Amino acid sequence: MKEAEKTTQDGMPGQPFFDYWQSWYEKEWKPFFNMPQFGMTRYYQEHTNQNIDKYYELQAMLTEFSSLLCQPIEKSFQAVGADVFSAGAQDGKADAGKAYYSKWISALEKEYMTLFRSTEYVGCLNKAMKTLNDFIISRQTVLEDMLKLLPIPTNSEMDGLYKELYELKKRVRNLEKEQVQQ
Amino acid sequence: MVNSQTAVNPFATRLLEKFSHAQRKMQDGARNVLGSLDTRIAATPCDIVYTEDRVRLKHYRPVTPQRVKTPVLITYALINRETMLDLQPGRSVVRSFLDRGVDVYMIDWGTPTRKDRYLTIDDHVNGYMDSMVDVVRRRTHSQQINLMGICMGGTFSVMYAAMHPHKVKNLVTTVSPTNFDTEQGLLHIWLRDMDVDHMIEAFGNIPGDLLNFAFLLLNPARLMVDKYVGLLDNIEDKAFLENFVRMEKWIFDSPDVPGETFRQFMKDCYQKNLLIKNKMKLGDRRVDLNNLTMPLLNFYGRFDHLVPPEACERLVEVVPSRDATNICLDTGHIGIYVSSKCQKAFAPKIVEWLTEREMPPKPKRKPEKKVRAPQPQKNLFHEQVPMDIGATQLGVVPSDNPQHAQNV
């Protein structure tokens, strides 16, 4: 836990906490959601467990991503805060708000631009997208399991149909073009 | 005691003034918001002259006698909608064209649904676009049309013109990415290692909201905070509010992007940069930029954070056309179409450029500086237009890229 409380100078502050959280989840909880299932309902249970697992991973990743996105806000306030307090102590200008806001928004923009070009951010964005995609795919599988019991076509079934329709239309178009050329 | 009062009172007085000013402003703002606002967009009258699946072809009703004989077909991107070119009466590219006697057609890509997820770039370019071009040619009895592309629609237009050069008289690309190997834009950095296949597997079509969120993230300080502070600052101004709502309407009206099209655009363009290398394939045919011998006018914005100058400006260097011009405007991605300062430097310039090319071809003369070895073709202009000269004449700041400077 001591590791988790540290903040790094170069990397993301708070990263050790997220790493610790991740390893704790992987060690203590993840195995439960990935243990083999038995019996006739094994596939359904497996899909549901997978979905819960992916949901937790997504929540952890979104927290990490949001925390990264909040960093520039903190940094920009720090950068402008000192100015505001020192100037405020000298004279209480009622119309200084606009100037401070303008300074702050420029500082915020600059901080975001620095963050968005960093490898930490690009890595975190890719990880966030991966966990989001994993969760959506797994949720889709669970939903399709449920829909099997109802007279409602699933996305996979409709996709198959759309694919056939697409290919048929393309063939008809090509044939029409050939006919016109002849 | 007296001293402290004199020190506090001016401050308190000014503070009270500020509060009462803010109160008045909010009252006026509330009256505006609750009152009747004219926030219609895309109000210029048009007719739907052709429909294929979800895609429609709009023809704008002329308002003056036609002065540019060859019709213009505008191809918008699959991201957001073409209504941006006709956002409000005073700042409408479409209206500007019509006022100057241009016959304007525009492709409306419609709203893709899940059934469109298998549509590729080939289907859009060689399918829908080609059909629309043929319809315009038939309706206007023209052999060729003027093709104008916006953003991704400009990239599609480049592909189309390269694959059907005999149908395109002049090509106008605006903020259109063709060179994706750049670090100037954040999108280029973020998308380089993105697992696009995984995204398509999860989403099918890429949701417009996801794209909107990505675009907001490009500059959250300005797009998520400052923009709305600006709105509060000007909320008592009815005209400002109406324009603001128009822009909000347009910017958050984002259709989904068909999955296969997105996949190919990301992988072949953003990740492998195949288009500018002449290696991109649509279906089983290669997109050969060496076919771009027609006159080309390429606009881009110096402060464009979505499609940075480096992503646009190389096109004129790689095409064999000897009439290829870059114009860099001091604005951003959207400002080029809607900002008041660009209203004179954008649409009128395009009309002027097209009008010049309506005239019979001038006698061939030796070019001052070649971009690439010329490939003479019949019925094409061979006049070398130095880059950025048009922009300078118009008072628009030309590109400061050294490669351009040497061409001026």
Side-chain angles (χ1 to χ4, degrees):
Chain A
M1 196 64 191
K2 274 184 186 171
E3 278 294 306
E5 286 161 5
K6 273 197 295 183
T7 54
T8 51
Q9 286 294 316
D10 303 326
M12 277 168 54
Q15 184 60 47
F17 170 77
F18 292 112
D19 290 345
Y20 173 80
W21 179 272
Q22 189 71 20
S23 77
W24 173 73
Y25 175 75
E26 300 253 331
K27 233 186 278 172
E28 304 292 332
W29 289 96
K30 202 175 173 73
F32 285 104
F33 297 120
N34 285 285
M35 61 194 238
Q37 302 298 316
F38 307 101
M40 202 177 81
T41 58
R42 75 165 303 284
Y43 284 110
Y44 302 111
Q45 190 57 51
E46 198 173 88
H47 292 161
T48 309
N49 288 355
Q50 282 288 312
N51 191 228
I52 297 168
D53 178 33
K54 298 296 174 201
Y55 177 75
Y56 282 134
E57 281 186 356
L58 176 68
Q59 291 306 317
M61 198 59 234
L62 287 182
T63 311
E64 186 177 338
F65 188 61
S66 310
S67 133
L68 192 61
L69 283 180
C70 288
Q71 279 179 29
I73 300 175
E74 194 187 329
K75 283 184 184 172
S76 61
F77 273 126
Q78 277 170 2
V80 179
D83 280 4
V84 175
F85 287 119
S86 61
Q90 286 165 12
D91 56 351
K93 280 188 183 171
D95 51 358
K98 264 194 177 171
Y100 292 132
Y101 167 75
S102 163
K103 229 179 204 182
W104 171 73
I105 202 81
S106 300
L108 184 63
E109 189 178 16
K110 200 176 138 202
E111 291 294 342
Y112 268 122
M113 289 307 128
T114 312
L115 173 73
F116 288 159
R117 288 183 178 274
S118 68
T119 48
E120 285 87 1
Y121 176 78
V122 176
C124 189
L125 177 71
N126 283 336
K127 268 185 353 196
M129 279 311 296
K130 186 191 173 304
T131 50
L132 176 66
N133 295 337
D134 282 341
F135 169 70
I136 290 172
I137 292 168
S138 136
R139 186 191 60 184
Q140 193 64 31
T141 313
V142 174
L143 279 174
E144 291 202 356
D145 285 346
M146 290 178 190
L147 287 176
K148 267 186 197 170
L149 303 170
L150 303 169
I152 300 171
T154 63
N155 261 355
S156 305
E157 286 164 346
M158 290 307 292
D159 282 346
L161 195 64
Y162 293 147
K163 179 97 180 166
E164 276 179 30
L165 187 68
Y166 165 75
E167 280 164 0
L168 272 171
K169 276 174 100 171
K170 204 163 184 172
R171 276 185 66 185
V172 170
R173 259 188 208 132
N174 288 341
L175 285 169
E176 270 178 353
K177 271 189 184 170
E178 275 172 31
Q179 210 174 20
V180 169
Q181 279 166 4
Q182 279 168 9
Chain B
M1 188 68 186
V2 173
N3 283 347
S4 106
Q5 269 183 343
T6 49
V8 168
N9 282 346
F11 173 72
T13 313
R14 273 162 63 196
L15 203 62
L16 274 173
E17 275 170 14
K18 285 262 159 200
F19 274 126
S20 99
H21 177 69
Q23 193 186 14
R24 272 198 310 274
K25 190 186 264 237
M26 285 305 133
Q27 278 169 347
D28 290 345
R31 225 184 334 269
N32 279 342
V33 173
L34 298 171
S36 67
L37 292 171
D38 178 11
T39 59
R40 282 172 305 158
I41 57 174
T44 305
C46 68
D47 302 302
I48 306 297
V49 294
Y50 179 74
T51 305
E52 190 174 332
D53 299 336
R54 67 175 211 278
V55 188
R56 304 185 307 169
L57 180 64
K58 288 179 180 177
H59 177 233
Y60 287 90
R61 293 177 200 157
V63 294
T64 54
Q66 198 173 327
R67 270 176 253 157
V68 181
K69 205 180 127 207
T70 314
V72 172
L73 175 64
I74 303 175
T75 309
Y76 198 76
L78 291 179
I79 296 159
N80 286 108
R81 286 196 192 281
E82 77 292 345
T83 47
M84 195 264 291
L85 293 176
D86 188 24
L87 217 51
Q88 64 187 89
R91 293 181 192 177
S92 163
V93 173
V94 170
R95 188 73 207 190
S96 264
F97 280 170
L98 293 175
D99 288 344
R100 288 167 178 80
V102 178
D103 191 14
V104 184
Y105 287 83
M106 182 141 65
I107 298 178
D108 168 4
W109 292 113
T111 306
T113 59
R114 198 164 173 104
K115 86 175 165 60
D116 298 309
R117 66 174 291 188
Y118 298 106
L119 291 171
T120 59
I121 299 182
D122 181 39
D123 295 313
H124 283 96
V125 172
N126 292 320
Y128 296 128
M129 267 181 85
D130 194 35
S131 301
M132 306 284 161
V133 169
D134 285 345
V135 170
V136 176
R137 287 166 67 217
R138 252 198 324 270
R139 280 175 58 93
T140 57
H141 309 290
S142 311
Q143 284 296 308
Q144 294 182 305
I145 57 141
N146 291 324
L147 188 59
M148 174 176 165
I150 316 290
C151 188
M152 185 192 196
T155 314
F156 281 10
S157 300
V158 167
M159 293 175 193
Y160 182 83
M163 299 183 96
H164 306 269
H166 57 288
K167 294 184 186 177
V168 181
K169 186 178 170 77
N170 299 298
L171 177 62
V172 181
T173 49
T174 63
V175 295
S176 306
T178 41
N179 167 40
F180 296 84
D181 187 15
T182 169
E183 295 219 334
Q184 269 187 353
L186 287 174
L187 279 185
H188 296 265
I189 298 171
W190 295 351
L191 292 170
R192 199 177 297 138
D193 298 318
M194 189 75 75
D195 188 349
V196 183
D197 294 330
H198 200 199
M199 274 178 86
I200 307 296
E201 190 190 347
F203 289 102
N205 289 337
I206 298 303
D209 288 337
L210 185 73
L211 294 171
N212 268 339
F213 182 62
F215 296 141
L216 289 179
L217 276 188
L218 288 171
N219 195 344
R222 298 288 172 195
L223 302 176
M224 291 159 97
V225 182
D226 196 41
K227 191 173 103 174
Y228 297 101
V229 172
L231 169 67
L232 286 179
D233 248 1
N234 295 284
I235 199 149
E236 79 282 12
D237 180 346
K238 194 175 174 191
F240 178 92
L241 182 63
E242 285 177 341
N243 290 342
F244 192 93
V245 175
R246 282 190 187 108
M247 185 57 92
E248 288 285 283
K249 269 185 172 181
W250 169 75
I251 213 157
F252 293 115
D253 178 17
S254 259
D256 298 351
V257 178
E260 287 307 316
T261 299
F262 186 82
R263 191 200 305 268
Q264 193 186 4
F265 198 65
M266 291 302 121
K267 289 175 101 171
D268 287 359
C269 295
Y270 272 93
Q271 294 178 347
K272 296 179 191 160
N273 196 24
L274 296 183
L275 180 62
I276 204 103
K277 295 176 187 165
N278 275 338
K279 289 180 181 171
M280 185 148 175
K281 276 186 159 185
L282 298 190
D284 52 2
R285 288 171 64 201
R286 190 167 64 89
V287 183
D288 189 356
L289 299 187
N290 285 317
N291 292 330
L292 293 182
T293 49
M294 69 286 292
L296 164 68
L297 183 62
N298 184 36
F299 275 96
Y300 55 92
R302 190 190 302 278
F303 309 116
D304 190 337
H305 62 291
L306 270 173
V307 183
E310 260 185 26
C312 305
E313 62 196 3
R314 263 196 69 197
L315 181 67
V316 298
E317 295 163 23
V318 298
V319 297
S321 169
R322 298 166 72 192
D323 182 1
T325 310
N326 264 342
I327 294 184
C328 178
L329 300 179
D330 270 351
T331 186
H333 193 68
I334 306 301
I336 210 163
Y337 311 101
V338 298
S339 79
S340 49
K341 69 176 178 181
C342 288
Q343 291 306 302
K344 283 180 189 164
F346 183 64
K349 169 64 191 167
I350 294 173
V351 179
E352 181 195 314
W353 186 83
L354 291 175
T355 311
E356 282 166 12
R357 279 144 192 86
E358 285 287 309
M359 295 165 200
K362 289 176 186 172
K364 227 161 99 174
R365 68 181 167 98
K366 199 178 171 185
E368 290 155 16
K369 186 171 177 69
K370 281 184 243 175
V371 173
R372 201 186 165 120
Q375 297 187 345
Q377 286 199 357
K378 283 178 189 171
N379 301 326
L380 286 170
F381 294 105
H382 290 285
E383 184 189 1
Q384 168 76 15
V385 178
M387 291 177 205
D388 294 320
I389 277 186
T392 318
Q393 284 166 344
L394 277 159
V396 180
V397 181
S399 167
D400 57 357
N401 186 316
Q403 281 176 322
H404 289 191
Q406 67 182 354
N407 284 293
V408 174

